[in-house]
Amino acid sequence: MLVSQRWIRVLGALLTLGLLGMTSAQAADPNNIQKTLEGCRKVAGFTFPDGGPYICPDTDYTTGNLGKTWNELDLVPYRITFEAGQAAPATQTYTQALTLDREDAGKPGYDIISAPVLNVAKSSASCSASSSAQTTLSPGVGGTDVSIYRSITVTQLKNTTCVYDYYGRLALGSHLYPGSSLHANLLNEDLSTAGSGARDVSIPVKEIEPQEISKTMTAHQGAEQTWNISKGTEDTLDFGNVCRSDAPASLPVQITVTWTRAEVIGGKVAVNIVLNAKNPAARTITVDLTDKLYKGSTNAGTLLDTYTEGPFDLAAGFNGMVVEFTAEFDAATVGKVGDWLHNEVSGTYTDKATGIPVPGTTTATADAQIQQGAITNASTAVKDLEDIDGEGLKYAVKAPSFGSFLAGYVVDTQTAGEVGWETLGQTDDGSITFDKVVYLDNPKRVTTGVLRDTATLSASDGFKASTNELQIPIASSVKAKLTIQKSIPNFLDTGEKLEVTFHITRADDKTFSKTKVITFTGGGATTQSVTAWGLVPDLYYVEEQGNTFFAAGSSTGEPVNLVDLRDPALYPNPRPVDLRLEGGIATRCAATIDFQNEPAAGYAKAQVQKTTEPALESSDADYNWSFGLYGPAGGLLSTQVVGAGAGYGKFQDGGGDLLLLAEGTYTVVETAKTGWDLISADPDSAPKNKICDFVVDYPEDLGKTFSCSFLNRERGKAQVIKTLSGSANLGSYTFSFQLRQGATTVANGQILEAKSASAGNGGTVAFTTLLVPGQTYQMCEIVGPGWLSTLGSFVPTAFMPPDGVAPNPNVDNSILCVDFSVNPGQTYAFNIDNRPPPGGRALTIGYWRNWASCAGSNGKQKPVLDQTLASFAGGGVYIGKLFVDTCLEAVRILSKQDVASGKQKSSDAAFNMAAQLLAAKLNVQAGAGQCPSAVTAMVAGQAILDGPPPSYAVNFIGTGDYPKKGQFVTEANNLATTLDRYNNNYLCTGP
């Protein structure tokens, strides 16, 4: 039999007490009685009515855990049920024990177990019972230090049910009970489980909420306060010269109002105490509170008073304040602001439902530092009033950091009226800085004014103070400028000088006189100016009094007679300049007047003509040419369009021929056309850059016409006209061509363009690359194995570039090129005829291994190797004993590599000859022409690779090593040379 650890402890305790085996003092054990112990698993929020009964709804009773809703001083309902069956005696009397955990490790559990009461509604009428008083058992049941229990003696008939209700009170402090659960047990009369087993119902301890009290305390000392107020700001606001480019339209100003407290006289200390209580139980609990107040921060200080409050009936679930009171003391008794007070409260509880005292108390403490309390004149209102005067002046106030504006003033609104501000309830030193902005109604306003400000203070009990009116002067002014600008022709050479004198007078001040001189020097600017600064508003007159010329190296000047060609009614001399205000606004802060002189003789002109190679007709698209004339400063002066071969055209300025006003170098530049090269421009000074340029030097060049001539040469093009065996019908064939430059037998050159001829374009290929006349280009064709081309070896000067040169067997010899050049505007036509296999050209091992699907090159070539292999009977060809029928095998043989490992075998005579033999067989299969020497070489080559006879032959399988010397090597090398000549079209004569 398995016995739990808890009941091992129970049995041990009972044996120690001698409770087992005492049958002489016991009633008979229950006979055929079914016993059930249940407890209430209360739902959250359920409460008992005051005065009980402390019985839960039937559905809430359980034989298991009673859940999380039971708290200190709750009366937890329990129920025992005795059922006597048919096998029970007709009547019997027996005794059982009801136990609860009372105490363990000094911490309480249950402190009351009530007498069981018959539940008449659920019991048979014949049930009767009696119970003992509450009894303490130590050590207790289940290993606890102390248990409490009652014995119940029941008289019961067979076939009846007897139900009894009782409760246990959770003690004050039961939330501290050690272990995880508090237990209720149903035991035999001798507190054992012999013959019937234990009945056990538990409550989880950690979910039990305690009864609690708490408190808060504050202390304050009253006083009387006085105040001071002051303000400060900048002295003046000066907008300065409103004619400056950076002249402000507004200026910021700050005004700071400061208030300070004077001496405070202390008063009485008021202590406010608030007592709170929490009742987590599901029934009303009564509490009495005793509160003690001490001077200092602990109960070691002087006991100032003791307060008894209560009793208070706390409803189920109550959590809040139960009492608040205030006590007043002299400062000499309790202390002053900053000193501490200590308070302790204890609570005792009364259980009105059971009438049984509740052991223990709850406590709480609070400390309070005496704070400053109510102060006479403790708070104050501060008010600020401001306004402005002056023509065109307004101001605005930004949002203050606190307080509020009066009379509905809106933050940042410009006004010329009064703005008020006020803050209430100020209790400490403080200040407010007003950020204001003063505005001119016009950025050019000239005015004076004053910004005024006054601050007042009104304390809560009648104390008042104010500042003197603060006055901030405001001013703006104007200082205009007059600029005299003078322009002369660009006549002065290096070392020469021209002085122009101007005299300035003022209408309202006849004593005002200023003289300004502008000096021009050779090589300098021809338009200069001089400025008179700091002018007050008025009407001024400027007179040009003369022009004096100084020759290079001379200090003696001579008058120069220069004329102003403009209307004297519009440009009089002297010239009036109005700098007066308009309605107080400086509308004329600056003025510029100009004086110009022109020479009597005419200025030079320019013209341009175009010559082309070839000569053009007016109907040609490129007949008209555009030219730009640029002046000495580099700017475009005019654009002129002339026809090729149509003679000279003069540059225009919209109203006639363009006059070259400035001295210096002029340039004429043509607008380039696509397909044309500029050959020369005349005149073209060193360094020659094909730009027409000429120098104008006055007065020598007055009335002269400068001429520019340009020669252009048109680029040519190339085209291919392709035929197939003399027919324009190309069928399904495609022929590839390349336009190159710089290609020779030793240089690949540059591929300028690549195109193809096919039936789709009718065999005509038009290259778009523009060709420079006189330069050498190459037309190249890629010719496949077995094919013949009229661009081939029978065309004079035809050659193969290095990427297709014949002597190198490792490269592709399918490329044939021919040199050519074009005349101006010429389209050079190539008539090229191709003949298909048989009887065409043979190609090298380089061609065959590149034109393969498994080639390592990136040329996107067609898989000619694959196609040719597939055309052999059986899909391949023998090279010695090796049947070559895959792209990889063929490429490795052609590359002189071991077909199994890919290892390079170029130094092996067998692999060298096998590569040339395979290329020769592929050429023949593709339709290349043959001759007896080629056929003999191919037969002999296959024979010495296919094993004896002859005796020196080898069994070539494309892998491994073969003889390095001897007759085989000699014969293989000779045959390789012959087959290489065949593959390069050197062995056989004819096409």
Side-chain angles (χ1 to χ4, degrees):
M1 177 180 70
L2 296 176
V3 180
S4 69
Q5 189 66 27
R6 170 178 170 80
W7 282 105
I8 289 173
R9 295 196 298 270
V10 171
L11 293 172
L14 296 177
L15 289 170
T16 301
L17 294 170
L19 296 177
L20 299 180
M22 298 172 59
T23 58
S24 61
Q26 297 176 348
D29 289 334
N31 187 356
N32 284 298
I33 298 297
Q34 177 66 41
K35 298 176 291 183
T36 303
L37 172 62
E38 298 176 288
C40 176
R41 185 181 179 91
K42 178 172 68 69
V43 297
F46 175 80
T47 60
F48 295 108
D50 290 341
Y54 298 100
I55 299 174
C56 291
D58 291 344
T59 56
D60 290 346
Y61 282 92
T62 178
T63 60
N65 186 289
L66 300 190
K68 305 176 180 180
T69 60
W70 294 111
N71 302 305
E72 287 185 4
L73 299 186
D74 261 325
L75 299 180
V76 182
Y78 289 97
R79 176 173 289 169
I80 51 174
T81 302
F82 301 111
E83 295 180 280
Q86 179 64 31
T91 183
Q92 60 177 314
T93 298
Y94 54 89
T95 298
Q96 298 287 281
L98 311 176
T99 70
L100 297 173
D101 291 344
R102 172 65 183 92
E103 183 181 312
D104 196 29
K107 305 300 181 182
Y110 292 94
D111 62 357
I112 292 177
I113 182 169
S114 71
V117 177
L118 180 67
N119 189 322
V120 176
K122 302 182 73 65
S123 302
S124 302
S126 60
C127 294
S128 67
S130 63
S131 64
S132 68
Q134 176 176 315
T135 304
T136 299
L137 177 64
S138 179
V141 174
T144 60
D145 292 345
V146 181
S147 296
I148 55 175
Y149 72 94
R150 286 180 186 266
S151 296
I152 178 172
T153 301
V154 181
T155 300
Q156 185 173 6
L157 304 181
K158 74 174 183 178
N159 293 324
T160 62
T161 299
C162 299
V163 180
Y164 297 90
D165 291 305
Y166 67 99
Y167 57 78
R169 186 174 72 188
L170 287 170
L172 199 65
S174 58
H175 75 285
L176 301 174
Y177 188 84
S180 61
S181 301
L182 280 167
H183 296 271
N185 300 103
L186 175 61
L187 303 175
N188 291 333
E189 179 182 4
D190 58 1
L191 300 178
S192 74
T193 61
S196 62
R199 305 294 189 273
D200 183 329
V201 177
S202 63
I203 291 177
V205 173
K206 66 178 181 179
E207 306 296 344
I208 296 175
E209 291 189 30
Q211 293 286 334
E212 293 178 332
I213 59 173
S214 61
K215 66 173 302 172
T216 59
M217 177 176 65
T218 58
H220 295 83
Q221 182 181 21
E224 183 178 359
Q225 180 72 67
T226 59
W227 299 85
N228 293 319
I229 188 169
S230 63
K231 71 163 49 182
T233 186
E234 301 176 11
D235 294 331
T236 62
L237 287 176
D238 189 359
F239 285 87
N241 178 14
V242 299
C243 285
R244 297 194 334 261
S245 61
D246 60 346
S250 62
L251 287 176
V253 61
Q254 286 188 333
I255 297 177
T256 300
V257 179
T258 303
W259 53 94
T260 57
R261 297 179 300 167
E263 183 181 0
V264 177
I265 302 173
K268 288 185 176 294
V269 176
V271 181
N272 178 260
I273 298 174
V274 178
L275 302 178
N276 306 294
K278 176 182 178 183
N279 173 28
R283 65 191 184 102
T284 299
I285 297 297
T286 302
V287 64
D288 288 271
L289 301 174
T290 300
D291 189 77
K292 293 184 177 183
L293 180 64
Y294 297 89
K295 181 178 180 180
S297 58
T298 68
N299 59 10
T302 302
L303 177 63
L304 299 175
D305 208 345
T306 300
Y307 310 97
T308 301
E309 307 290 341
F312 302 104
D313 290 332
L314 308 180
F318 177 82
N319 185 10
M321 185 184 75
V322 294
V323 66
E324 178 182 12
F325 60 92
T326 301
E328 193 171 78
F329 300 88
D330 290 333
T333 301
V334 299
K336 62 184 182 301
V337 173
D339 292 338
W340 285 90
L341 298 176
H342 178 73
N343 187 253
E344 295 182 352
V345 62
S346 62
T348 59
Y349 294 83
T350 301
D351 189 344
K352 294 181 177 180
T354 66
I356 300 173
V358 178
T361 62
T362 56
T363 62
T365 64
D367 295 299
Q369 190 176 31
I370 300 174
Q371 305 295 321
Q372 183 66 61
I375 302 175
T376 303
N377 286 325
S379 65
T380 184
V382 180
K383 182 184 292 185
D384 186 80
L385 296 176
E386 54 193 322
D387 61 13
I388 196 170
D389 63 31
E391 183 68 25
L393 293 175
K394 290 184 178 182
Y395 71 104
V397 187
K398 296 186 176 298
S401 57
F402 59 93
S404 58
F405 289 115
L406 303 176
Y409 177 74
V410 178
V411 170
D412 290 328
T413 300
Q414 296 184 31
T415 179
E418 184 178 78
V419 175
W421 169 90
E422 185 176 43
T423 180
L424 303 175
Q426 293 295 315
T427 61
D428 204 348
D429 296 351
S431 65
I432 179 79
T433 297
F434 296 102
D435 289 305
K436 307 177 185 183
V437 181
V438 177
Y439 295 89
L440 295 173
D441 64 346
N442 186 299
K444 305 300 183 183
R445 167 72 67 184
V446 180
T447 187
T448 59
V450 176
L451 180 66
R452 296 181 170 85
D453 193 288
T454 302
T456 60
L457 180 150
S458 300
S460 55
D461 294 295
F463 179 85
K464 294 183 180 296
S466 64
T467 64
N468 294 328
E469 181 181 76
L470 178 68
Q471 297 185 355
I472 304 173
I474 306 169
S476 63
S477 58
V478 61
K479 293 182 180 179
K481 68 175 182 177
L482 171 59
T483 299
I484 305 169
Q485 181 174 287
K486 174 70 175 180
S487 298
I488 66 170
N490 190 11
F491 291 163
L492 300 176
D493 293 328
T494 301
E496 297 176 340
K497 180 174 69 173
L498 180 70
E499 290 183 351
V500 184
T501 303
F502 297 91
H503 185 237
I504 306 172
T505 57
R506 177 178 160 194
D508 291 341
D509 184 357
K510 302 303 181 182
T511 66
F512 179 86
S513 176
K514 280 185 179 292
T515 298
K516 294 290 182 179
V517 177
I518 298 177
T519 300
F520 296 89
T521 58
T526 58
T527 298
Q528 295 192 55
S529 63
V530 65
T531 300
W533 299 88
L535 304 180
V536 300
D538 202 347
L539 178 63
Y540 292 83
Y541 294 93
V542 180
E543 180 182 10
E544 181 178 356
Q545 293 186 327
N547 301 280
T548 303
F549 173 78
F550 294 84
S554 174
S555 60
T556 303
E558 297 180 359
V560 177
N561 185 20
L562 299 177
V563 297
D564 192 334
L565 301 179
R566 297 177 298 180
D567 186 351
L570 299 177
Y571 300 94
N573 188 30
R575 188 96 42 91
V577 182
D578 193 352
L579 297 178
R580 291 172 292 186
L581 300 178
E582 293 185 7
I585 306 300
T587 58
R588 305 179 184 94
C589 285
T592 299
I593 57 173
D594 70 308
F595 293 83
Q596 298 180 7
N597 296 99
E598 302 291 337
Y603 287 96
K605 301 177 183 180
Q607 63 184 7
V608 63
Q609 73 171 350
K610 165 62 66 178
T611 304
T612 61
E613 294 178 358
L616 299 177
E617 300 292 335
S618 60
S619 59
D620 290 335
D622 290 332
Y623 176 74
N624 289 316
W625 293 76
S626 179
F627 296 87
L629 173 63
Y630 293 84
L636 178 65
L637 303 179
S638 177
T639 300
Q640 180 64 31
V641 177
V642 298
Y648 287 100
K650 284 191 172 68
F651 286 97
Q652 305 292 302
D653 66 355
D657 294 344
L658 175 70
L659 300 180
L660 308 183
L661 303 178
E663 289 184 306
T665 300
Y666 290 77
T667 57
V668 177
V669 180
E670 78 168 14
T671 300
K673 288 180 178 287
T674 301
W676 290 81
D677 293 317
L678 176 60
I679 303 304
S680 65
D682 184 43
D684 183 5
S685 61
K688 301 294 185 178
N689 54 6
K690 300 180 182 179
I691 295 176
C692 178
D693 50 35
F694 53 88
V695 177
V696 175
D697 183 17
Y698 293 124
E700 292 90 331
D701 292 332
L702 288 174
K704 183 177 179 180
T705 298
F706 291 88
S707 299
C708 288
S709 298
F710 289 82
L711 171 64
N712 287 72
R713 186 173 294 148
E714 186 178 12
R715 292 195 176 195
K717 295 181 181 179
Q719 71 173 2
V720 172
I721 301 172
K722 166 62 64 177
T723 56
L724 179 62
S725 299
S727 171
N729 183 2
L730 303 184
S732 61
Y733 292 109
T734 298
F735 302 89
S736 298
F737 295 90
Q738 296 174 346
L739 177 61
R740 297 195 185 193
Q741 187 173 32
T744 66
T745 57
V746 295
N748 294 328
Q750 179 185 4
I751 298 176
L752 304 178
E753 196 173 353
K755 286 183 175 292
S756 298
S758 65
N761 54 25
T764 298
V765 179
F767 288 90
T768 59
T769 301
L770 298 175
L771 308 179
V772 178
Q775 292 189 9
T776 300
Y777 299 89
Q778 295 79 42
M779 181 60 68
C780 303
E781 181 180 11
I782 301 175
V783 182
W787 282 82
L788 289 176
S789 171
T790 57
L791 195 66
S793 58
F794 296 105
V795 175
T797 73
F799 64 91
M800 286 176 286
D803 54 355
V805 66
N808 186 348
N810 292 317
V811 298
D812 182 348
N813 65 336
S814 61
I815 304 172
L816 296 177
C817 299
V818 63
D819 289 330
F820 73 99
S821 60
V822 296
N823 294 322
Q826 176 189 12
T827 297
Y828 196 106
F830 290 87
N831 293 284
I832 302 174
D833 184 66
N834 287 79
R835 288 194 333 212
R841 301 173 71 243
L843 298 179
T844 63
I845 59 177
Y847 169 85
W848 287 107
R849 71 182 184 187
N850 286 333
W851 290 70
S853 63
C854 58
S857 60
N858 296 315
K860 299 182 180 179
Q861 293 93 336
K862 295 180 180 180
V864 180
L865 171 65
D866 306 60
Q867 296 167 356
T868 306
L869 277 177
S871 69
F872 281 102
V877 61
Y878 276 99
I879 301 299
K881 297 293 188 181
L882 176 65
F883 186 66
V884 180
D885 59 353
T886 68
C887 178
L888 181 60
E889 288 175 334
V891 168
R892 285 188 171 178
I893 290 296
L894 292 167
S895 300
K896 304 173 186 178
Q897 295 173 342
D898 189 300
V899 296
S901 65
K903 181 179 179 181
Q904 194 65 42
K905 307 289 284 185
S906 299
S907 61
D908 193 310
F911 280 92
N912 276 326
M913 197 268 286
Q916 296 296 345
L917 177 60
L918 178 57
K921 290 187 176 186
L922 289 169
N923 282 320
V924 171
Q925 184 68 14
Q930 303 178 59
C931 64
S933 296
V935 173
T936 299
M938 282 185 275
V939 171
Q942 174 64 24
I944 68 170
L945 293 179
D946 195 27
S951 59
Y952 54 85
V954 298
N955 291 304
F956 183 79
I957 58 173
T959 184
D961 296 319
Y962 298 95
K964 305 297 183 189
K965 58 185 179 178
Q967 187 174 357
F968 170 78
V969 173
T970 301
E971 184 68 16
N973 287 338
N974 291 335
L975 289 172
T977 300
T978 301
L979 292 172
D980 178 44
R981 287 174 54 77
Y982 168 70
N983 292 331
N984 281 286
N985 300 294
Y986 293 151
L987 183 63
C988 300
T989 58

